[in-house]
Amino acid sequence: MNIWTKLLCMLLTVACLGFLSGSFVQAESPMIPKSGTPVSVENWEYHWGQFPMDEEGNFQWERGGNYEGIHNDIWISSIITLNPPHRGARNVIWYRVQLPPTQWSDPSLNIQVHGKFRIYSEKKLIYQFGDFSKEGTPYQGNAPRIVPLPTDSMGKMLYVEIHSDSKNIGFNPYPTLASHSEIILDLLKKQSDRLIIGCFYILTGMISLSSYFRLRIKPFFTFGLFGIFFGIYTICRTTIINFFYDSPLLWADVELAALVGGMASVIAFLVQMFGEDRPQDRALNVLWKLHLIFAVVTIPFIRVHTLQLDEVMFVYHIFMLASLLVLNVYVAVMAYQKNRDAQIVLLGTLFFSLMGVIDFFNHLFPQNMVIFSISYLGMVVFLFSLIGVLIRRTVDMIARLRNSEKLSLVGQLAAGIAHEVRNPLTIISGNLQLMQQKGYSEETSQLMLSEIKRINSILNEFLYLAKPNSPKLEVNNLMEVLNDVVYLFQSQVMNPPIQIIVTATDKVLLVKCDPNQLKKVFVNLLRNAVEAMPDGGKIRIVVRKLKVNVIMEFIDEGTGIAASNLKRLNEPFYTTKEGGTGLGLSISRKIIEEHQGKLQLESELNHGTIVKIVLPLARKIMIS
Ligand code: ADP
Ligand code: MG
C-alpha cells in the first residue's frame, strides 16, 4: 500500500465513523437528550432593499426601506426564503423571524445563505459573514454557517440582512435551530454518505490510474481521472467539507473545476473505448477539449470576481446537458449495432444524464433541495457501468494475450525442431552423396543411422512436450523412486569419478506420482549435473519433508550458469552443449507441474547449480 492508499483508507474510516455517529449516537446516547433534535425555523418575513441609516450609522428600523411601493407593508410574510418575487434591480434583502422561546445551552442557527450576510438580534449585530468593507458581493456559495446565538436572543425577533450581486439571493429553506453539537451531528448524519461515496470514487480512480502506469492501457488513465475528479466533485458538494477547511468560495470553485475535469475525462474515456477515427469520434475528441477550455477560461475570472460562480455553473450545466445528449446518441448508435459494451455504457450514460437534468433543475430552482440525493444514484450506476466495460475489455485482452503466447510457443517449438533436425539431415544427405560417388561403406551408413536415431529421439522428446497427456498418478514412496535412479547412476563406471550422496529426513515419503515420469526427471537432472562437471566431483541430493510438501535439491559443483542465461532455460531447445537437445529441463518442468509441483533453478557461474523441486505430499486419506 502506498501512502495515498493509506490516506484514503483513513479518510474512508473517518467518513464511516461520521456516518455511524450521525445515525446512532444521536438515537442511542443518553448524553444528548431527544429534545435536542434541531427544530426548523419557519414563518419568515422579508423586505426588499436596505434600511435607511441615521447620522450615527444606526438603521432606522421604523421608517422602512426603499421598497418603492410594491407592497403597502414593510415586512411581507412568505414561505419563500430564496429569490422571492419583485426583486427588480435590488441586491439587498432583509428577512426576520420570531425565534421560539426554547432554551438551549448554546443555541445555534444552521443557515445556508446565498450571498454575504449579517444577523441582528433586537437590532444588535451578532454575526457577520463576508466582506462588508467592500462594495459588491462575489458569490459566497451556500455553505452552512453555524451561527452562535446569545441565549437572551431566544424568543425575540431575529433579523438577517443579505447582499448578493448574483442570480440567487436569500437562504435555503429552512434554517434549523439547536445546540451547536446537535447541528454538527445532524449535518454529519445527512451528508457523510456523500463523503463515503466521494472517497470510493477517488479510491477507484487511483486504483485505475495505478493500473494504467503498470499496463499502459489508455482507458485506465482517463477512467482514473474521471473517478478522482468526480470523487472531488462529490465531496465538494457536501457542506461538511467546511468543517475541515472553512472556505465555501474555494470549495465552490473546486467543485466546478472537478465537474469539468470529470466530464472531459469521461468523454475522452468513451472515445478511447469505442473510437475508430470516424467523424463522430473526432467530434468527441474536440468536445472534451472544449470542456477543458471552458474551465481554463472561466475559473480565473470567477476568482477575480468578474464572473459570478453560480451563473457560470448555470451556463456550464446547459453545456453539460448538451454534451450528455451527444454522448447518449453516440453510445446509443453503437448499442443499436449490438455492441454489448456500448449497451452497458448506454445504461450508465442515461442515468448520468438523469443526474445532469436533476442538477440543472436544482440550479434553476434551488428550492427543490429534496431531489438532490437521486443524482448521486445516477453517478453510482454510471461509474459501475464504466467499471463493467473496463473489466470486460481487460478480460478480452488477457484472453487474446494468452492465445498469442500459445502461438508464439508453438512457433518457438517449430523453429527449434527445424533447427535441430536440419543438422542431422545435412550430415545424412552429405554421406548419401558420398556413398553414391564411392559406393557403400559400413562406416558411413553407421554414421547415417546414428543421425537418424538422433532425429528420432528429438522428435520423441518434442512429442512428449507437445502432448497434452496427464500422467496416471498413484501413491508411491518418493525415496524408492529416487534411489532406483541413483543406483543406476552409481552402478555405471564413470570417468572422471562422480560421487552421488543422498541425504533425506525420512525413509518413506509418500507422493502421488507416476514413478516412470519422475525417474525421467531425476535422470535428466543427474545427467545435466554430470555433464556440468567434466572433471568429476560430488552431487548432493537433499530431501526434506515439510508440512504438506517435500523439497528435493539436486546440488552440483559444476560449471554453473551465467545469470544472463538463467532466464533462457525456460525456452525449449535452449542448450549450451554440442549434441544437446535443450529439451531436458523443459520436459522435467512439465512433468513436475503435472504433479502439482514446482521446479526452480539457482545457479552461480563456476560454483555450481541447485535444482529445487517441490512436490505435494500425499494426504493420509488417500493412503488408506
Ligand atoms: P541439454 O542438457 O540437452 O542441453 P537441458 O534442457 O537439460 O538441455 O539443459 C539446458 C541447458 O541448461 C544446458 O545446455 C546447460 O547449459 C544448462 N544446464 C542445465 N542444468 C545444468 C547444470 N546442472 N549445471 C550447469 N548448466 C546446466
Ligand atoms: Mg539435459
Side-chain angles (χ1 to χ4, degrees), residues 175-222:
T176 48
L177 188 66
S179 65
H180 190 77
S181 53
E182 273 305 325
I183 285 176
I184 290 179
L185 271 181
D186 191 51
L187 272 169
L188 275 178
K189 184 179 161 188
K190 283 184 184 140
Q191 295 191 336
S192 46
D193 53 344
R194 277 187 233 166
L195 205 60
I196 293 173
I197 292 177
C199 289
F200 166 72
Y201 291 154
I202 294 179
L203 192 65
T204 314
M206 280 167 60
I207 291 170
S208 179
L209 266 193
S210 74
S211 310
Y212 166 76
F213 287 117
R214 272 206 212 139
L215 306 172
R216 301 278 157 186
I217 304 171
K218 274 188 189 164
F220 276 99
F221 182 73
T222 40

Short mmCIF file of all heavy atoms in Angstrom, two decimals, residues 175-222:
data_model
loop_
_atom_site.label_atom_id
_atom_site.label_comp_id
_atom_site.label_asym_id
_atom_site.label_seq_id
_atom_site.Cartn_x
_atom_site.Cartn_y
_atom_site.Cartn_z
N PRO A 175 -33.79 27.16 7.81
CA PRO A 175 -32.70 27.09 8.78
C PRO A 175 -33.14 26.27 9.99
O PRO A 175 -34.33 26.18 10.27
CB PRO A 175 -32.48 28.55 9.17
CG PRO A 175 -33.08 29.33 8.06
CD PRO A 175 -34.23 28.53 7.55
N THR A 176 -32.17 25.63 10.68
CA THR A 176 -32.53 24.85 11.86
C THR A 176 -31.88 25.45 13.10
O THR A 176 -30.82 26.07 13.03
CB THR A 176 -32.09 23.38 11.72
OG1 THR A 176 -30.75 23.35 11.29
CG2 THR A 176 -32.96 22.64 10.74
N LEU A 177 -32.55 25.19 14.22
CA LEU A 177 -32.10 25.75 15.48
C LEU A 177 -31.87 24.58 16.45
O LEU A 177 -32.72 23.70 16.57
CB LEU A 177 -33.21 26.66 16.02
CG LEU A 177 -32.91 27.51 17.24
CD1 LEU A 177 -31.85 28.55 16.93
CD2 LEU A 177 -34.19 28.20 17.70
N ALA A 178 -30.71 24.58 17.09
CA ALA A 178 -30.41 23.56 18.09
C ALA A 178 -29.13 23.96 18.78
O ALA A 178 -28.57 25.02 18.50
CB ALA A 178 -30.23 22.19 17.43
N SER A 179 -28.66 23.06 19.66
CA SER A 179 -27.36 23.35 20.26
C SER A 179 -26.29 23.08 19.20
O SER A 179 -26.52 22.34 18.24
CB SER A 179 -27.14 22.46 21.48
OG SER A 179 -27.07 21.12 21.06
N HIS A 180 -25.13 23.67 19.37
CA HIS A 180 -24.06 23.60 18.39
C HIS A 180 -23.72 22.16 18.00
O HIS A 180 -23.69 21.80 16.82
CB HIS A 180 -22.83 24.30 18.96
CG HIS A 180 -21.75 24.51 17.95
ND1 HIS A 180 -21.79 25.51 17.01
CD2 HIS A 180 -20.60 23.82 17.74
CE1 HIS A 180 -20.72 25.44 16.26
NE2 HIS A 180 -19.97 24.43 16.68
N SER A 181 -23.50 21.30 19.00
CA SER A 181 -23.09 19.91 18.72
C SER A 181 -24.19 19.16 17.97
O SER A 181 -23.91 18.35 17.09
CB SER A 181 -22.76 19.20 20.02
OG SER A 181 -23.85 19.34 20.90
N GLU A 182 -25.44 19.45 18.32
CA GLU A 182 -26.57 18.82 17.66
C GLU A 182 -26.57 19.11 16.16
O GLU A 182 -26.82 18.25 15.33
CB GLU A 182 -27.89 19.37 18.22
CG GLU A 182 -28.39 18.66 19.43
CD GLU A 182 -28.54 17.20 19.19
OE1 GLU A 182 -28.90 16.81 18.07
OE2 GLU A 182 -28.26 16.43 20.14
N ILE A 183 -26.27 20.34 15.84
CA ILE A 183 -26.30 20.75 14.43
C ILE A 183 -25.19 20.05 13.66
O ILE A 183 -25.39 19.56 12.55
CB ILE A 183 -26.18 22.29 14.33
CG1 ILE A 183 -27.53 22.89 14.72
CG2 ILE A 183 -25.78 22.72 12.93
CD1 ILE A 183 -27.56 24.37 14.76
N ILE A 184 -24.03 19.95 14.28
CA ILE A 184 -22.91 19.28 13.60
C ILE A 184 -23.25 17.81 13.38
O ILE A 184 -23.07 17.26 12.29
CB ILE A 184 -21.62 19.44 14.42
CG1 ILE A 184 -21.19 20.91 14.33
CG2 ILE A 184 -20.52 18.53 13.89
CD1 ILE A 184 -19.95 21.26 15.07
N LEU A 185 -23.80 17.16 14.40
CA LEU A 185 -24.18 15.75 14.28
C LEU A 185 -25.21 15.57 13.16
O LEU A 185 -25.15 14.64 12.37
CB LEU A 185 -24.76 15.24 15.59
CG LEU A 185 -23.75 14.66 16.57
CD1 LEU A 185 -24.45 14.17 17.82
CD2 LEU A 185 -22.99 13.52 15.91
N ASP A 186 -26.17 16.49 13.13
CA ASP A 186 -27.24 16.42 12.14
C ASP A 186 -26.67 16.50 10.72
O ASP A 186 -27.04 15.72 9.83
CB ASP A 186 -28.20 17.58 12.40
CG ASP A 186 -29.48 17.43 11.60
OD1 ASP A 186 -30.07 16.35 11.67
OD2 ASP A 186 -29.86 18.39 10.90
N LEU A 187 -25.71 17.41 10.54
CA LEU A 187 -25.10 17.56 9.21
C LEU A 187 -24.29 16.32 8.84
O LEU A 187 -24.34 15.85 7.70
CB LEU A 187 -24.18 18.78 9.20
CG LEU A 187 -24.87 20.09 8.84
CD1 LEU A 187 -23.95 21.26 9.12
CD2 LEU A 187 -25.27 20.08 7.37
N LEU A 188 -23.54 15.79 9.81
CA LEU A 188 -22.75 14.59 9.55
C LEU A 188 -23.67 13.46 9.12
O LEU A 188 -23.39 12.72 8.18
CB LEU A 188 -22.00 14.18 10.81
CG LEU A 188 -20.66 14.86 11.06
CD1 LEU A 188 -20.07 14.39 12.37
CD2 LEU A 188 -19.68 14.55 9.92
N LYS A 189 -24.78 13.34 9.83
CA LYS A 189 -25.73 12.26 9.56
C LYS A 189 -26.29 12.39 8.14
O LYS A 189 -26.43 11.41 7.42
CB LYS A 189 -26.85 12.36 10.58
CG LYS A 189 -27.86 11.26 10.50
CD LYS A 189 -28.90 11.48 11.59
CE LYS A 189 -30.16 10.72 11.31
NZ LYS A 189 -31.20 11.10 12.26
N LYS A 190 -26.56 13.64 7.73
CA LYS A 190 -27.19 13.82 6.43
C LYS A 190 -26.19 13.72 5.28
O LYS A 190 -26.58 13.44 4.15
CB LYS A 190 -27.85 15.20 6.39
CG LYS A 190 -29.17 15.22 7.15
CD LYS A 190 -29.85 16.56 7.01
CE LYS A 190 -31.11 16.60 7.85
NZ LYS A 190 -31.25 17.91 8.51
N GLN A 191 -24.92 14.01 5.55
CA GLN A 191 -24.01 14.15 4.41
C GLN A 191 -22.84 13.18 4.37
O GLN A 191 -22.13 13.14 3.38
CB GLN A 191 -23.46 15.59 4.39
CG GLN A 191 -24.56 16.59 4.14
CD GLN A 191 -24.00 17.96 3.86
OE1 GLN A 191 -22.89 18.27 4.26
NE2 GLN A 191 -24.77 18.78 3.18
N SER A 192 -22.65 12.39 5.43
CA SER A 192 -21.45 11.54 5.40
C SER A 192 -21.55 10.48 4.31
O SER A 192 -20.54 10.00 3.82
CB SER A 192 -21.20 10.91 6.76
OG SER A 192 -22.39 10.39 7.26
N ASP A 193 -22.78 10.11 3.90
CA ASP A 193 -22.88 9.14 2.80
C ASP A 193 -22.22 9.68 1.54
O ASP A 193 -21.53 8.97 0.83
CB ASP A 193 -24.34 8.74 2.54
CG ASP A 193 -25.24 9.93 2.32
OD1 ASP A 193 -24.81 11.06 2.67
OD2 ASP A 193 -26.35 9.77 1.80
N ARG A 194 -22.38 10.96 1.29
CA ARG A 194 -21.74 11.56 0.11
C ARG A 194 -20.23 11.58 0.26
O ARG A 194 -19.50 11.39 -0.70
CB ARG A 194 -22.24 13.00 -0.08
CG ARG A 194 -23.55 13.04 -0.79
CD ARG A 194 -23.90 14.47 -1.10
NE ARG A 194 -25.23 14.76 -0.60
CZ ARG A 194 -25.70 15.99 -0.46
NH1 ARG A 194 -24.94 17.03 -0.75
NH2 ARG A 194 -26.92 16.18 -0.03
N LEU A 195 -19.79 11.80 1.48
CA LEU A 195 -18.35 11.80 1.75
C LEU A 195 -17.80 10.40 1.44
O LEU A 195 -16.75 10.25 0.81
CB LEU A 195 -18.12 12.16 3.21
CG LEU A 195 -16.77 12.77 3.56
CD1 LEU A 195 -16.56 14.06 2.81
CD2 LEU A 195 -16.69 13.01 5.06
N ILE A 196 -18.53 9.37 1.87
CA ILE A 196 -18.08 7.99 1.64
C ILE A 196 -18.08 7.70 0.14
O ILE A 196 -17.10 7.18 -0.41
CB ILE A 196 -19.00 6.99 2.37
CG1 ILE A 196 -18.85 7.17 3.87
CG2 ILE A 196 -18.67 5.57 1.97
CD1 ILE A 196 -19.82 6.36 4.70
N ILE A 197 -19.16 8.06 -0.56
CA ILE A 197 -19.24 7.82 -2.00
C ILE A 197 -18.07 8.52 -2.69
O ILE A 197 -17.39 7.96 -3.55
CB ILE A 197 -20.58 8.29 -2.57
CG1 ILE A 197 -21.72 7.40 -2.05
CG2 ILE A 197 -20.58 8.25 -4.10
CD1 ILE A 197 -23.09 7.85 -2.50
N GLY A 198 -17.82 9.76 -2.29
CA GLY A 198 -16.72 10.53 -2.90
C GLY A 198 -15.39 9.83 -2.71
O GLY A 198 -14.61 9.70 -3.65
N CYS A 199 -15.13 9.37 -1.49
CA CYS A 199 -13.87 8.66 -1.22
C CYS A 199 -13.80 7.39 -2.06
O CYS A 199 -12.74 7.03 -2.58
CB CYS A 199 -13.76 8.32 0.26
SG CYS A 199 -13.48 9.76 1.27
N PHE A 200 -14.93 6.72 -2.20
CA PHE A 200 -14.98 5.49 -3.01
C PHE A 200 -14.60 5.78 -4.46
O PHE A 200 -13.80 5.07 -5.07
CB PHE A 200 -16.39 4.90 -2.90
CG PHE A 200 -16.70 3.84 -3.91
CD1 PHE A 200 -16.13 2.58 -3.81
CD2 PHE A 200 -17.57 4.11 -4.97
CE1 PHE A 200 -16.43 1.62 -4.75
CE2 PHE A 200 -17.86 3.15 -5.90
CZ PHE A 200 -17.29 1.90 -5.79
N TYR A 201 -15.14 6.88 -5.01
CA TYR A 201 -14.77 7.26 -6.39
C TYR A 201 -13.27 7.51 -6.50
O TYR A 201 -12.62 7.05 -7.43
CB TYR A 201 -15.47 8.56 -6.81
CG TYR A 201 -16.96 8.45 -7.00
CD1 TYR A 201 -17.77 9.57 -6.86
CD2 TYR A 201 -17.55 7.24 -7.34
CE1 TYR A 201 -19.14 9.49 -7.02
CE2 TYR A 201 -18.92 7.16 -7.50
CZ TYR A 201 -19.71 8.29 -7.35
OH TYR A 201 -21.05 8.20 -7.51
N ILE A 202 -12.75 8.25 -5.53
CA ILE A 202 -11.32 8.61 -5.60
C ILE A 202 -10.47 7.34 -5.53
O ILE A 202 -9.53 7.16 -6.29
CB ILE A 202 -10.95 9.59 -4.48
CG1 ILE A 202 -11.67 10.92 -4.72
CG2 ILE A 202 -9.45 9.81 -4.44
CD1 ILE A 202 -11.41 11.97 -3.67
N LEU A 203 -10.85 6.45 -4.62
CA LEU A 203 -10.10 5.19 -4.47
C LEU A 203 -10.13 4.41 -5.78
O LEU A 203 -9.10 3.95 -6.28
CB LEU A 203 -10.72 4.37 -3.34
CG LEU A 203 -9.90 3.19 -2.87
CD1 LEU A 203 -8.60 3.68 -2.25
CD2 LEU A 203 -10.67 2.38 -1.84
N THR A 204 -11.34 4.27 -6.36
CA THR A 204 -11.48 3.55 -7.64
C THR A 204 -10.59 4.21 -8.69
O THR A 204 -9.89 3.53 -9.44
CB THR A 204 -12.95 3.60 -8.11
OG1 THR A 204 -13.78 3.31 -7.01
CG2 THR A 204 -13.21 2.62 -9.22
N GLY A 205 -10.64 5.54 -8.74
CA GLY A 205 -9.84 6.27 -9.73
C GLY A 205 -8.36 6.01 -9.54
O GLY A 205 -7.63 5.79 -10.51
N MET A 206 -7.92 5.98 -8.28
CA MET A 206 -6.49 5.80 -8.04
C MET A 206 -6.05 4.39 -8.40
O MET A 206 -4.96 4.20 -8.94
CB MET A 206 -6.17 6.14 -6.59
CG MET A 206 -6.07 7.64 -6.41
SD MET A 206 -6.05 8.18 -4.73
CE MET A 206 -4.64 7.39 -4.12
N ILE A 207 -6.91 3.42 -8.11
CA ILE A 207 -6.56 2.04 -8.49
C ILE A 207 -6.42 1.97 -10.00
O ILE A 207 -5.49 1.39 -10.54
CB ILE A 207 -7.65 1.06 -7.99
CG1 ILE A 207 -7.60 0.99 -6.47
CG2 ILE A 207 -7.45 -0.32 -8.60
CD1 ILE A 207 -8.76 0.25 -5.84
N SER A 208 -7.37 2.62 -10.70
CA SER A 208 -7.35 2.59 -12.16
C SER A 208 -6.09 3.28 -12.69
O SER A 208 -5.43 2.78 -13.60
CB SER A 208 -8.60 3.29 -12.69
OG SER A 208 -8.60 3.31 -14.07
N LEU A 209 -5.73 4.42 -12.09
CA LEU A 209 -4.52 5.13 -12.53
C LEU A 209 -3.29 4.26 -12.33
O LEU A 209 -2.43 4.18 -13.20
CB LEU A 209 -4.35 6.41 -11.73
CG LEU A 209 -4.92 7.69 -12.33
CD1 LEU A 209 -4.40 8.90 -11.56
CD2 LEU A 209 -4.55 7.83 -13.80
N SER A 210 -3.20 3.61 -11.17
CA SER A 210 -2.00 2.80 -10.92
C SER A 210 -1.97 1.62 -11.89
O SER A 210 -0.90 1.20 -12.32
CB SER A 210 -1.93 2.34 -9.47
OG SER A 210 -2.86 1.32 -9.24
N SER A 211 -3.16 1.10 -12.26
CA SER A 211 -3.18 0.03 -13.27
C SER A 211 -2.66 0.58 -14.59
O SER A 211 -1.96 -0.11 -15.32
CB SER A 211 -4.59 -0.49 -13.51
OG SER A 211 -5.18 -0.81 -12.30
N TYR A 212 -3.02 1.83 -14.89
CA TYR A 212 -2.53 2.41 -16.14
C TYR A 212 -1.00 2.45 -16.14
O TYR A 212 -0.36 2.09 -17.12
CB TYR A 212 -3.08 3.81 -16.36
CG TYR A 212 -2.33 4.55 -17.45
CD1 TYR A 212 -2.55 4.24 -18.79
CD2 TYR A 212 -1.36 5.49 -17.13
CE1 TYR A 212 -1.83 4.87 -19.79
CE2 TYR A 212 -0.64 6.12 -18.12
CZ TYR A 212 -0.87 5.81 -19.45
OH TYR A 212 -0.15 6.41 -20.43
N PHE A 213 -0.42 2.88 -15.01
CA PHE A 213 1.03 3.02 -15.00
C PHE A 213 1.73 1.66 -15.11
O PHE A 213 2.87 1.58 -15.51
CB PHE A 213 1.49 3.79 -13.77
CG PHE A 213 1.15 5.25 -13.90
CD1 PHE A 213 0.27 5.86 -13.03
CD2 PHE A 213 1.68 6.00 -14.95
CE1 PHE A 213 -0.06 7.19 -13.18
CE2 PHE A 213 1.35 7.33 -15.11
CZ PHE A 213 0.48 7.93 -14.23
N ARG A 214 1.02 0.58 -14.74
CA ARG A 214 1.61 -0.74 -14.91
C ARG A 214 1.40 -1.28 -16.32
O ARG A 214 2.31 -1.79 -16.93
CB ARG A 214 0.98 -1.71 -13.93
CG ARG A 214 1.71 -1.69 -12.64
CD ARG A 214 1.55 -3.00 -11.92
NE ARG A 214 1.58 -2.68 -10.50
CZ ARG A 214 0.79 -3.22 -9.60
NH1 ARG A 214 -0.06 -4.13 -9.94
NH2 ARG A 214 0.89 -2.86 -8.35
N LEU A 215 0.14 -1.17 -16.80
CA LEU A 215 -0.20 -1.86 -18.05
C LEU A 215 -0.17 -0.95 -19.27
O LEU A 215 -0.18 -1.43 -20.40
CB LEU A 215 -1.60 -2.47 -17.95
CG LEU A 215 -1.86 -3.39 -16.77
CD1 LEU A 215 -3.32 -3.77 -16.69
CD2 LEU A 215 -1.01 -4.64 -16.91
N ARG A 216 -0.19 0.37 -19.02
CA ARG A 216 -0.20 1.35 -20.12
C ARG A 216 -1.41 1.16 -21.05
O ARG A 216 -1.28 1.25 -22.27
CB ARG A 216 1.08 1.28 -20.95
CG ARG A 216 2.32 1.54 -20.17
CD ARG A 216 2.58 3.02 -20.00
NE ARG A 216 3.42 3.23 -18.82
CZ ARG A 216 3.75 4.39 -18.32
NH1 ARG A 216 3.30 5.49 -18.87
NH2 ARG A 216 4.50 4.50 -17.27
N ILE A 217 -2.56 0.82 -20.47
CA ILE A 217 -3.78 0.75 -21.27
C ILE A 217 -4.51 2.06 -21.07
O ILE A 217 -4.92 2.39 -19.95
CB ILE A 217 -4.66 -0.43 -20.83
CG1 ILE A 217 -3.87 -1.73 -20.91
CG2 ILE A 217 -5.90 -0.53 -21.71
CD1 ILE A 217 -4.57 -2.92 -20.31
N LYS A 218 -4.65 2.84 -22.15
CA LYS A 218 -5.11 4.23 -22.03
C LYS A 218 -6.44 4.42 -21.28
O LYS A 218 -6.54 5.32 -20.46
CB LYS A 218 -5.21 4.87 -23.41
CG LYS A 218 -3.90 5.46 -23.87
CD LYS A 218 -4.13 6.24 -25.13
CE LYS A 218 -2.82 6.67 -25.75
NZ LYS A 218 -3.04 7.09 -27.15
N PRO A 219 -7.50 3.61 -21.57
CA PRO A 219 -8.76 3.87 -20.88
C PRO A 219 -8.62 3.84 -19.35
O PRO A 219 -9.38 4.50 -18.65
CB PRO A 219 -9.67 2.74 -21.36
CG PRO A 219 -9.11 2.36 -22.68
CD PRO A 219 -7.64 2.56 -22.58
N PHE A 220 -7.64 3.11 -18.83
CA PHE A 220 -7.44 3.11 -17.38
C PHE A 220 -7.03 4.49 -16.90
O PHE A 220 -7.34 4.88 -15.78
CB PHE A 220 -6.35 2.10 -16.99
CG PHE A 220 -6.87 0.70 -16.86
CD1 PHE A 220 -6.71 -0.21 -17.89
CD2 PHE A 220 -7.54 0.30 -15.72
CE1 PHE A 220 -7.19 -1.49 -17.78
CE2 PHE A 220 -8.04 -0.98 -15.60
CZ PHE A 220 -7.86 -1.88 -16.63
N PHE A 221 -6.33 5.21 -17.74
CA PHE A 221 -5.88 6.55 -17.37
C PHE A 221 -7.06 7.50 -17.28
O PHE A 221 -7.29 8.15 -16.27
CB PHE A 221 -4.86 7.04 -18.39
CG PHE A 221 -4.29 8.40 -18.06
CD1 PHE A 221 -3.39 8.54 -17.03
CD2 PHE A 221 -4.66 9.52 -18.79
CE1 PHE A 221 -2.87 9.78 -16.71
CE2 PHE A 221 -4.15 10.77 -18.48
CZ PHE A 221 -3.25 10.89 -17.43
N THR A 222 -7.86 7.57 -18.37
CA THR A 222 -8.98 8.51 -18.38
C THR A 222 -10.02 8.11 -17.34
O THR A 222 -10.60 8.96 -16.68
CB THR A 222 -9.63 8.58 -19.77
OG1 THR A 222 -9.67 7.28 -20.32
CG2 THR A 222 -8.86 9.49 -20.68
#
